[in-house]
Amino acid sequence: QGQLVESGGGLTQAGGSLRLSCAASDRTFENYHMGWFRQTPGKEREFVAGVTWTGSRTYYRTYYADSVKGRFTISRDNAKNTVYLQMTSLKPEDTAVYYCAADKRGGSISYLASVYDYWGQGTQVTVSS
């Protein structure tokens, strides 16, 4: 069973930056779409960013929630089995537990958490004002 492990969360001030990493246990995940979600207490898990699998191409497509567009950047390095989320200009409302997820269906990137097959354990991001 494949595993995803997030790291890089922590505490920062508003306007600061953090980079989250999601390490996959094996190369199977290079064939999957990957996404970052976040969740705060009492709320549903929400889509933050997604990146398509590359297949035989050397490029991939990225997708972002409107709330993070222009501030967050998702990328993947298949050679390292790792997906990254670079977060800049952080705001207090970005405070949440961030989860990495993998979707093995293919097709279009989904913004729905229920579609994703594999999840990491989550990493806390706290942005102080």
Side-chain angles (χ1 to χ4, degrees):
Q1 185 78 2
Q3 289 187 327
L4 301 171
V5 178
E6 301 99 334
S7 61
L11 172 65
T12 188
Q13 292 185 330
S17 300
L18 286 172
R19 188 176 82 154
L20 305 183
S21 298
C22 171
S25 58
D26 57 71
R27 297 197 64 175
T28 302
F29 288 91
E30 70 183 42
N31 298 316
Y32 300 161
H33 295 334
M34 301 295 294
W36 284 96
F37 288 76
R38 64 188 181 188
Q39 189 170 26
T40 53
K43 292 191 175 181
E44 291 188 357
R45 204 164 287 190
E46 67 168 353
F47 176 85
V48 174
V51 60
T52 59
W53 75 294
T54 58
S56 60
R57 300 179 297 272
T58 57
Y59 63 91
Y60 47 75
R61 296 194 188 93
T62 57
Y63 301 81
Y64 299 94
D66 288 343
S67 59
V68 307
K69 242 175 231 181
R71 300 188 298 122
F72 291 11
T73 303
I74 189 171
S75 62
R76 67 189 303 163
D77 185 340
N78 287 339
K80 296 182 179 179
N81 295 338
T82 302
V83 177
Y84 302 98
L85 184 68
Q86 178 67 50
M87 305 185 295
T88 63
S89 301
L90 282 161
K91 304 175 182 180
E93 51 264 42
D94 294 317
T95 295
V97 177
Y98 283 71
Y99 296 90
C100 175
D103 172 12
K104 62 182 181 181
R105 300 172 305 127
S108 302
I109 281 276
S110 177
Y111 287 37
L112 297 175
S114 58
V115 165
Y116 287 74
D117 302 286
Y118 300 95
W119 290 88
Q121 82 289 353
T123 184
Q124 177 71 46
V125 171
T126 303
V127 184
S128 63
S129 57

